[in-house]
């Protein structure tokens, strides 16, 4: 994972280069086809996603509530807890995503608590 690309993600933008390098080692890049269900409302979440390319529909109770595109992220609460997903997210085009599993975030929390605190603060700021 390229540190420069990661720096462009709002959630990670305030991290220093060495911190970004550590986070980058914990992120996978995946490509998914249009129509792929990325999260399902009610399921327990374990991953956080950043959209690099493509778009996705966000649905609650079967109704579209928003559309996301490059730079948007979702599933961030799964980094902090393991609550049930609040929405279903479906790829509406082919997508390239950055994915971090909650266990990798917990490892960063253990190794670099200050980094985890900054990411956590950014997540809470976005939620409120």
């Amino acid at each position: 994972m390229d540190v420069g690309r990661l720096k462009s993600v709002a959630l990670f933008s305030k991290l220093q280069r060495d911190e970004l390098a550590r986070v980058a080692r914990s992120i996978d890049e995946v490509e998914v086809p249009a129509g792929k269900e990325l999260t399902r409302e009610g399921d327990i979440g374990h991953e956080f996603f950043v959209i690099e390319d493509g778009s996705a529909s966000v649905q609650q109770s079967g109704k579209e509530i928003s559309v996301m595109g490059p730079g948007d992220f979702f599933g961030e609460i799964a980094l902090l807890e393991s609550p049930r997903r609040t929405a279903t997210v479906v790829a509406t085009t082919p997508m390239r995503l950055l994915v971090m599993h909650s266990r990798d975030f917990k490892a960063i929390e253990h190794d670099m608590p200050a980094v985890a605190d900054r990411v956590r603060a950014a997540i809470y700021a976005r939620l409120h």
Side-chain angles (χ1 to χ4, degrees), residues 1-3 6 19-28 100:
M1 153 84 341
D2 179 319
V3 172
L6 194 56
E19 296 168 334
L20 283 167
R22 171 60 178 93
V23 171
R25 288 193 302 274
S26 300
I27 290 182
D28 294 318
M100 178 184 280

Side-chain angles (χ1 to χ4, degrees), residues 86-108:
T86 60
T88 297
V89 178
V90 179
T92 54
T93 67
M95 298 180 75
R96 188 174 56 247
L97 301 162
L98 304 179
V99 183
M100 178 184 280
H101 197 279
S102 60
R103 72 174 172 264
D104 294 319
F105 183 72
K106 287 180 185 1
I108 290 170

Side-chain angles (χ1 to χ4, degrees), residues 17-69:
R17 190 158 186 78
D18 62 325
E19 296 168 334
L20 283 167
R22 171 60 178 93
V23 171
R25 288 193 302 274
S26 300
I27 290 182
D28 294 318
E29 295 178 77
V30 298
E31 293 190 16
V32 299
K36 171 79 174 167
E37 186 176 80
L38 302 168
T39 67
R40 178 177 294 160
E41 186 175 2
D43 284 358
I44 294 178
H46 299 286
E47 306 88 15
F48 159 73
F49 302 85
V50 177
I51 300 173
E52 273 208 303
D53 191 37
S55 63
S57 170
V58 181
Q59 305 163 9
Q60 285 182 324
S61 302
K63 295 180 182 174
E64 184 173 83
I65 60 169
S66 69
V67 175
M68 295 185 294

